[in-house]
Amino acid sequence: MASVSVNQLADAIVDAVREYTEDVTEAIDQKVESTADLVLADAKQNAPKKTGKYAKGFVKTDKSLPGRRRFVVWNKKYYRLVHLLEFGHAKVKGGRVPGKPHLIPAHQRHVDGMLSDIKQIIRNGG
C-alpha cells in the first residue's frame, strides 16, 4: 500500500472541489441562458399581435456580472408599451383597456422549471 502525504491529499481534495465547481458553474450558466431563450420565444409567441412589430421587438440582453449569470428579456423598440399591454390601462374618455399578460406568464412558466433543474445539476455535480 502506498503512503500519501497530507499535502498530496489536500491537493487532491482541492482539485476535486475545483473541478466540481467548474462543472456545476458551466452547467448552470448553460441552463440560465437556455431558459432565457425559452422565455424570449414564449414572450414573442404570446405577445399581442396587431401588426406583429411589437412581438418582434423582444430581445435577450446579457447583464451578467463576474460570478453571476443574468439575462433580461425586454422589448427594445416598444419598451414603453410593455406595462400598458401587460397590465391594461385607462382610456382617455373613461373606462379601461384590459391587460394581455404575456411577459410575466412566460417568465413564470420557465423559471420555476429552471430552479428545479439547477438543484438537480448541483446534486449531480454538473
Side-chain angles (χ1 to χ4, degrees):
M1 180 174 220
S3 62
V4 177
S5 72
V6 174
N7 290 338
Q8 289 174 333
L9 179 61
D11 290 342
I13 291 172
V14 167
D15 289 342
V17 170
R18 184 178 297 121
E19 182 180 333
Y20 168 82
T21 303
E22 289 171 358
D23 291 346
V24 167
T25 301
E26 183 179 327
I28 289 173
D29 287 349
Q30 290 173 353
K31 186 62 183 174
V32 169
E33 187 164 4
S34 67
T35 302
D37 291 336
L38 291 173
V39 171
L40 176 64
D42 197 342
K44 282 184 174 185
Q45 181 181 4
N46 294 323
K49 292 174 185 65
K50 193 171 187 179
T51 64
K53 291 180 183 179
Y54 173 75
K56 290 178 185 175
F58 281 101
V59 294
K60 173 185 77 170
T61 304
D62 188 355
K63 297 282 186 174
S64 299
L65 298 171
R68 191 170 183 193
R69 195 77 165 154
R70 182 176 160 203
F71 289 95
V72 177
V73 175
W74 63 296
N75 196 307
K76 189 171 185 176
K77 189 168 183 180
Y78 300 104
Y79 58 90
R80 294 176 197 93
L81 288 178
V82 175
H83 74 284
L84 296 173
L85 293 174
E86 186 83 20
F87 302 111
H89 57 88
K91 293 181 182 180
V92 173
K93 295 185 179 184
R96 284 197 65 78
V97 174
K100 297 178 182 174
H102 53 284
L103 192 55
I104 292 174
H107 178 271
Q108 290 171 342
R109 269 192 291 276
H110 298 289
V111 171
D112 291 341
M114 178 190 70
L115 296 176
S116 63
D117 290 345
I118 287 175
K119 288 178 185 177
Q120 192 67 30
I121 288 169
I122 292 170
R123 277 191 211 110
N124 294 339

